[in-house]
């Protein structure tokens, strides 16, 4: 399935810019980045943003990605939005929990622009 409205929840501005640059080269999908996960959940629940895919970082200070994922799956209005984990590291114990919560896929953030573009073509 090709997604056309992507929300990235990630506290790292540089990573979001890198993601956006690669996305613009391979897709016409709309893109929104929210750097505060608490704010992202609130905007989702309030229908201020309506993504058809969430790209979620794991390593964030206010609320880590696993906590965000738990919150998303608890909220009826947003629990069916597909989630892809996109993080610099994903510990094995976290992978199992994420799979139990129904993530669509997960990727380690590449530092190579062309590798990132290739990943993005798999879902955009």
């Amino acid at each position: 399935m090709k997604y056309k409205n992507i929300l990235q929840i990630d506290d790292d501005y540089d990573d979001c810019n890198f993601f956006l640059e690669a996305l613009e080269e391979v897709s016409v999908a709309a893109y929104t980045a929210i750097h505060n996960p608490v704010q992202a959940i609130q905007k989702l629940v309030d229908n201020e943003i309506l993504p058809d895919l969430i790209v979620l970082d794991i390593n964030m200070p206010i609320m880590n990605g696993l906590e965000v994922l738990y919150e998303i799956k608890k909220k009826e209005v947003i629990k069916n939005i597909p989630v892809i984990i996109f993080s610099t590291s994903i510990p094995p114990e976290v992978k199992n929990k994420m799979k139990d919560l129904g993530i669509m896929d997960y990727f380690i953030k590449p530092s190579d622009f062309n590798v990132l573009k290739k990943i993005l073509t798999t879902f955009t």
Side-chain angles (χ1 to χ4, degrees):
M1 180 173 202
K2 300 294 181 180
Y3 297 96
K4 297 298 179 194
N5 192 356
I6 299 169
L7 168 63
Q8 185 172 23
I9 303 172
D10 190 328
D11 66 311
D12 189 311
Y13 287 80
D14 290 337
D15 284 353
C16 289
N17 289 334
F18 188 61
F19 186 97
L20 175 59
E21 288 174 19
L23 182 66
E24 288 176 336
E25 289 209 10
V26 299
S27 175
V28 295
Y31 172 83
T32 303
I34 299 179
H35 308 291
N36 178 321
V38 175
Q39 181 185 42
I41 291 168
Q42 192 60 53
K43 286 181 178 278
L44 285 162
V45 169
D46 292 345
N47 287 318
E48 289 181 37
I49 50 175
L50 303 168
D52 56 1
L53 177 68
I54 297 171
V55 178
L56 177 63
D57 186 22
I58 291 294
N59 306 306
M60 295 183 287
I62 298 170
M63 180 181 218
N64 71 45
L66 194 55
E67 293 168 325
V68 173
L69 189 56
Y70 279 121
E71 287 301 311
I72 289 171
K73 296 304 178 180
K74 285 186 343 188
K75 310 284 187 200
E76 190 65 34
V77 68
I78 59 175
K79 73 178 187 180
N80 293 321
I81 301 172
V83 176
I84 292 176
I85 301 300
F86 200 72
S87 195
T88 53
S89 65
I90 306 171
E93 65 277 6
V94 172
K95 285 181 188 176
N96 293 332
K97 290 177 185 175
M98 292 181 318
K99 287 180 183 177
D100 291 343
L101 288 169
I103 64 159
M104 190 171 86
D105 209 342
Y106 62 88
F107 299 95
I108 299 296
K109 292 177 181 177
S111 56
D112 183 287
F113 191 69
N114 289 321
V115 172
L116 178 55
K117 289 192 322 185
K118 186 174 181 176
I119 291 170
L120 294 176
T121 60
T122 64
F123 58 85
T124 61

